[in-house]
């Protein structure tokens, strides 16, 4: 069954990061691995303090023991299924500005059959 409307399953915030960007940079470079122009640092999973702020499906379904409701469609998930599409968006904002980072979209494809 294809969902007609997308649904939000998690909404977190960078304020819940354990390490600041400065600390992540120091951690990366402390062993001599220099940063160069164009290098990227990823934050990893960001989870908040409330259930709806958990940052991954594994946390949301609590290792498969909880069902995750997908909007008002009546569909539920414990894990992603073949054909599911995931859309992640992000932005930073402050007084008088908001900068978006665009969308990151992916579709879960079936595993290749081993011959």
């Amino acid at each position: 069954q294809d969902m007609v409307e997308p649904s939000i399953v998690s909404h977190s915030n960078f304020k819940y990061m354990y390490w600041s960007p400065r600390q992540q940079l120091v951690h990366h470079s402390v062993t001599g691995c220099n940063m160069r122009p164009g290098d990227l640092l990823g934050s990893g999973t960001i989870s908040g303090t409330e259930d709806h702020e958990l940052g991954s499906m594994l946390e949301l379904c609590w290792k498969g023991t909880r069902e995750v409701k997908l909007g008002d469609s009546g569909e539920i998930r414990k894990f992603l299924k073949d054909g599911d599409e995931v859309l992640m968006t992000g932005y930073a904002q402050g007084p008088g500005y908001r900068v978006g980072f665009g969308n990151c979209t992916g579709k879960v494809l079936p595993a290749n059959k081993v011959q």
Side-chain angles (χ1 to χ4, degrees):
Q1 173 183 349
D2 293 326
M3 288 185 61
V4 177
E5 295 293 323
S7 63
I8 296 173
V9 295
S10 178
H11 186 127
S12 193
N13 191 312
F14 197 74
K15 70 182 179 184
Y16 298 121
M17 282 299 301
Y18 187 77
W19 301 104
S20 72
R22 181 177 293 166
Q23 290 169 316
Q24 291 179 40
L25 175 61
V26 169
H27 176 73
H28 173 84
S29 61
V30 72
T31 60
C33 185
N34 296 325
M35 292 295 293
R36 297 184 305 192
D39 286 351
L40 297 174
L41 291 176
S43 64
T45 302
I46 303 173
S47 295
T49 57
E50 305 293 326
D51 282 351
H52 70 280
E53 297 171 325
L54 296 174
S56 72
M57 280 297 287
L58 190 60
E59 291 177 334
L60 287 164
C61 75
W62 210 250
K63 298 183 277 183
T65 62
R66 296 183 194 161
E67 295 178 338
V68 178
K69 183 180 176 188
L70 302 180
D72 296 327
S73 70
E75 279 196 76
I76 56 167
R77 290 284 188 281
K78 290 185 180 180
F79 299 98
L80 295 175
K81 295 179 7 180
D82 290 350
D84 283 349
E85 290 187 31
V86 177
L87 167 66
M88 292 184 277
T89 60
Y91 59 87
Q93 70 181 25
Y97 72 90
R98 181 170 173 160
V99 178
F101 298 106
N103 295 335
C104 177
T105 306
K107 183 173 185 175
V108 180
L109 300 176
N112 293 326
K113 294 185 180 188
V114 178
Q115 303 277 343

